[in-house]
Amino acid sequence: MVDGQPALERKVVDLPSTLKVEVYPVEVFLCLHSNMENIITAQFSRTDSIHTIQAAVCQAFSVPPGSECRLWMKSSDSSCERLRNVHMSVLDSCLSSGMTVIMEMRNADGTWPSSRPQIMRNSVEDQDSYRGQPGVCGLTNLGNTCFMNSALQCLSNTPPLTEYFLQSSYLEELNFTNPLGMKGEIAEAYADVIKQMWSGRHYSVVPRVFKTKVGHFASQFLGYQQHDSQELLSFLLDGLHEDLNRVKNKEYIELRDADRRP
């Protein structure tokens, strides 16, 4: 050390079976989805959480507080992967130097820029200029999906549940480790539909992404055949329950003996 020289602080990374001083931090590129030409470089420790990176992007690009954001990880081969769990560390999320982290903010109409379909311009303008009553919104029939749409409309008009999703309370309770859950994907897909329906900016919403997720986790709902609405409702409520289960680690509870019987 030379007098007046700043200390070179380095963190210790807890790797499997060993502790290692992190000499070189992870250097990644940060940008917004709305302006991917404006890129900044930042360094993070492998022990930092994805939430730390999200906060750094918000600060660097002056993102308004309270904005609902999500992050994408882009590698050199241009493939993108969603960084779903913001509590995961940089090391566990396989984020490495040279990668780009892209942040997108939810649109006012409840959609995400990356998933909004490229449709004809005049119809976009019609949708953007439309202002209706939040919640009074149709759901497009994708082909014998009225069983799903009717269940979604019933849940959409259940005030406590809808307020829970509109206030983004679910973000803090997404459970990515529950073996009975669906890694939070059903909860996120349902939240997207609800936020679009209650934005007041749509005549109707096309729940195609939600339908795809349901079919992915429940093969009986694959395709576009008719199904029982109650079965879909039961699957959805159970899926939301497990994806948002507040019990992260379920303890083993031993059954007690009764009258000296096993």
Side-chain angles (χ1 to χ4, degrees), residues 80-104:
C80 280
E81 185 181 342
R82 171 92 181 280
L83 292 168
R84 294 182 178 277
N85 189 353
V86 295
H87 304 295
M88 188 178 283
S89 69
V90 170
L91 179 67
D92 292 336
S93 61
C94 300
L95 188 63
S96 58
S97 292
M99 288 186 172
T100 303
V101 175
I102 306 167
M103 175 189 278
E104 63 173 336

Side-chain angles (χ1 to χ4, degrees), residues 16-74:
S17 73
T18 183
L19 295 172
K20 186 177 180 181
V21 176
E22 184 178 51
V23 180
Y24 299 103
V26 176
E27 189 172 84
V28 295
F29 305 109
L30 309 177
C31 66
L32 295 180
H33 184 274
S34 56
N35 183 10
M36 294 176 66
E37 301 298 320
N38 184 15
I39 298 175
I40 66 169
T41 306
Q43 293 183 338
F44 300 96
S45 166
R46 289 165 180 79
T47 59
D48 286 338
S49 67
I50 299 302
H51 186 270
T52 304
I53 298 180
Q54 181 172 314
V57 179
C58 289
Q59 183 177 6
F61 294 102
S62 302
V63 175
S67 300
E68 189 176 343
C69 311
R70 64 183 187 182
L71 298 177
W72 296 85
M73 175 175 67
K74 182 181 178 184

Side-chain angles (χ1 to χ4, degrees), residues 2 6 11 13-14 31 33 87 128 164 185 192 218 225:
V2 180
K11 293 186 177 180
V13 184
D14 188 2
C31 66
H33 184 274
H87 304 295
D128 287 345
Y164 172 81
E185 292 190 29
D192 285 351
Q225 303 302 314

Side-chain angles (χ1 to χ4, degrees), residues 128-158:
D128 287 345
S129 61
Y130 175 72
R131 292 292 182 275
Q133 182 179 340
V136 180
C137 177
L139 288 169
T140 303
N141 192 336
L142 302 172
N144 294 324
T145 57
C146 28
F147 74 95
M148 180 183 77
N149 292 355
S150 58
L152 285 173
Q153 290 285 12
C154 287
L155 286 182
S156 171
N157 287 281
T158 306

Side-chain angles (χ1 to χ4, degrees), residues 216-234:
H216 178 72
F217 290 106
S219 58
Q220 67 267 33
F221 298 116
L222 277 172
Y224 295 93
Q225 303 302 314
Q226 293 186 16
H227 294 280
D228 187 87
S229 188
Q230 171 61 29
E231 287 182 14
L232 186 279
L233 188 62
S234 177

Side-chain angles (χ1 to χ4, degrees), residues 1 11 29 36 64 78 83 97 128 167 169 209-210 213 217 220 243 247:
M1 290 290 289
K11 293 186 177 180
F29 305 109
M36 294 176 66
S78 297
L83 292 168
S97 292
D128 287 345
Q167 293 168 3
S169 303
V209 175
F210 178 81
K213 291 289 184 188
F217 290 106
Q220 67 267 33
D243 271 0
V247 180

Side-chain angles (χ1 to χ4, degrees), residues 202-261:
H202 299 284
Y203 297 106
S204 64
V205 170
V206 184
R208 193 179 306 278
V209 175
F210 178 81
K211 171 73 174 64
T212 303
K213 291 289 184 188
V214 168
H216 178 72
F217 290 106
S219 58
Q220 67 267 33
F221 298 116
L222 277 172
Y224 295 93
Q225 303 302 314
Q226 293 186 16
H227 294 280
D228 187 87
S229 188
Q230 171 61 29
E231 287 182 14
L232 186 279
L233 188 62
S234 177
F235 162 78
L236 178 55
L237 287 175
D238 187 54
L240 293 177
H241 164 68
E242 297 297 354
D243 271 0
L244 300 165
N245 199 323
R246 293 171 180 169
V247 180
K248 305 297 181 184
N249 298 304
K250 295 183 179 178
E251 296 182 7
Y252 173 72
I253 300 174
E254 187 176 359
L255 293 174
R256 293 181 178 178
D257 293 348
D259 295 329
R260 298 189 179 88
R261 290 176 299 171

